[in-house]
């Protein structure tokens, strides 16, 4: 099992739709979780950090389920500008705080 | 506030040439990282540093060297470039967890260096 797994997609959704991605992780000791968005051939940009049960920022909500070891990202009222690849990143505390495990990303296409 | 700055943005090298990629951050972050990203693959850690004067190997260190002589700068060197090192290179930095900050601070990325080796 990979340390961090994401469905690569693509998820094709119409404008205004709600879409959710899941990210599963294998290390149950992980303490910190992050969602980044990455546009084609550009740098990852931090979307939100999750340290407890979840986090919300406008149209974006992240939920952490420690029992099932996954973190989800919900995007409400999708915009064309939300089209990007969404990276899940896990910091497995047991391995030292410097280490970050990246998923390969979930690609989202929002269609007009 | 510039954040993380990488230079150069693009470079084309011939096999066997050497070059240095520079990463500079102005956020007083203790940790710095170099990643490479190839099509269809996730970010892979090349080398990292947890403080001035210290460096360590990551997941794919072969063919690369690094130095961190100053806290704000992290240099990545290719001594003898090979076509397999054609990639997009990202530098990142983050705070070291301490005190009230929880473990695992988010990383902040530079906008990348696109390197082609012919």
């Amino acid at each position: 099992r990979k340390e961090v797994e994401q469905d690569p997609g693509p998820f094709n959704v119409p404008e205004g739709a709600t879409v959710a991605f899941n990210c599963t992780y294998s290390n149950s000791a992980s303490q910190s979780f992050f969602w980044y968005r990455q546009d084609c051939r550009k740098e990852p940009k931090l979307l939100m950090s999750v340290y407890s049960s979840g986090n919300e920022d406008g149209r974006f909500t992240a939920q952490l389920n420690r029992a099932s070891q996954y973190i989800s990202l919900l995007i409400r009222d999708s915009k064309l500008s939300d089209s990007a690849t969404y990276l899940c990143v896990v910091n497995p505390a047991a391995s030292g705080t410097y280490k970050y495990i990246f998923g390969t990303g979930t690609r989202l296409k929002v269609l007009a | 506030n510039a954040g993380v700055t990488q230079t150069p943005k693009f470079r084309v090298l011939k096999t066997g040439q050497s070059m240095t990629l520079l990463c500079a951050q102005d956020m007083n972050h203790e940790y710095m990282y170099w990643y490479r990203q190839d099509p269809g693959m996730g970010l892979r850690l090349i080398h990292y540093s947890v403080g001035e004067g210290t460096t360590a190997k990551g997941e794919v260190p072969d063919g690369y060297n690094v130095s961190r002589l100053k806290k704000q700068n992290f240099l990545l060197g290719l001594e003898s470039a090979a076509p397999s090192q054609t990639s997009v290179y990202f530098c990142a930095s983050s705070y070291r967890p301490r005190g009230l900050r929880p473990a695992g601070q988010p990383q902040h990325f530079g906008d990348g260096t696109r390197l082609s080796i012919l």
Side-chain angles (χ1 to χ4, degrees), chain A residues 74-86:
Chain A
L74 181 79
I75 306 175
R76 291 180 295 276
D77 188 22
S78 298
K79 312 290 185 189
L80 293 175
S81 58
D82 293 333
S83 297
T85 295
Y86 290 83

Side-chain angles (χ1 to χ4, degrees), chain B residues 7-18:
Chain B
T7 52
K9 299 288 188 284
F10 304 92
R11 188 73 182 268
V12 178
L13 291 178
K14 294 181 180 178
T15 297
Q17 286 185 315
S18 63

Side-chain angles (χ1 to χ4, degrees), chain A residues 31-34 36 38 40-46 49 51 87 89 91 93 97-105, chain B residues 31 33 35 37 40-43 45 48 50 88 90 94-95 97 102-112 114:
Chain A
Q31 296 295 319
S32 308
F33 308 85
F34 310 94
Y36 286 78
Q38 186 175 27
C40 187
R41 297 183 66 76
K42 294 195 173 180
E43 78 276 21
K45 293 184 178 178
L46 180 67
S49 306
Y51 297 104
L87 303 177
V89 183
N91 179 241
T97 53
Y98 69 86
K99 189 175 181 180
Y100 296 80
I101 310 298
F102 287 78
T104 52
Chain B
Y31 294 175
Y33 312 79
Y35 292 93
Q37 188 175 37
M41 301 185 75
L43 284 150
L45 182 64
Y48 66 96
V50 298
V88 180
F90 290 107
S94 69
Y95 283 116
Q105 293 298 299
Q107 295 177 309
H108 298 264
F109 286 84
D111 56 5
R114 282 142 189 83

Side-chain angles (χ1 to χ4, degrees), chain B residues 10-109:
Chain B
F10 304 92
R11 188 73 182 268
V12 178
L13 291 178
K14 294 181 180 178
T15 297
Q17 286 185 315
S18 63
M19 79 162 295
T20 301
L21 281 65
L22 172 64
C23 176
Q25 53 95 5
D26 61 3
M27 295 174 282
N28 203 32
H29 286 166
E30 293 88 356
Y31 294 175
M32 295 188 76
Y33 312 79
W34 275 107
Y35 292 93
R36 61 178 289 174
Q37 188 175 37
D38 301 294
M41 301 185 75
L43 284 150
R44 292 185 292 169
L45 182 64
I46 304 171
H47 286 279
Y48 66 96
S49 168
V50 298
E52 183 178 323
T54 69
T55 63
K57 294 180 180 180
E59 187 184 348
V60 288
D62 294 342
Y64 305 95
N65 56 74
V66 287
S67 65
R68 189 149 178 222
L69 300 178
K70 293 183 178 181
K71 185 177 183 178
Q72 63 267 34
N73 295 337
F74 195 28
L75 278 63
L76 178 71
L78 284 73
E79 292 181 344
S80 179
S84 60
Q85 293 177 305
T86 293
S87 189
V88 180
Y89 292 85
F90 290 107
C91 175
S93 68
S94 69
Y95 283 116
R96 174 174 59 86
R98 62 175 179 270
L100 297 178
R101 290 192 199 130
Q105 293 298 299
Q107 295 177 309
H108 298 264
F109 286 84

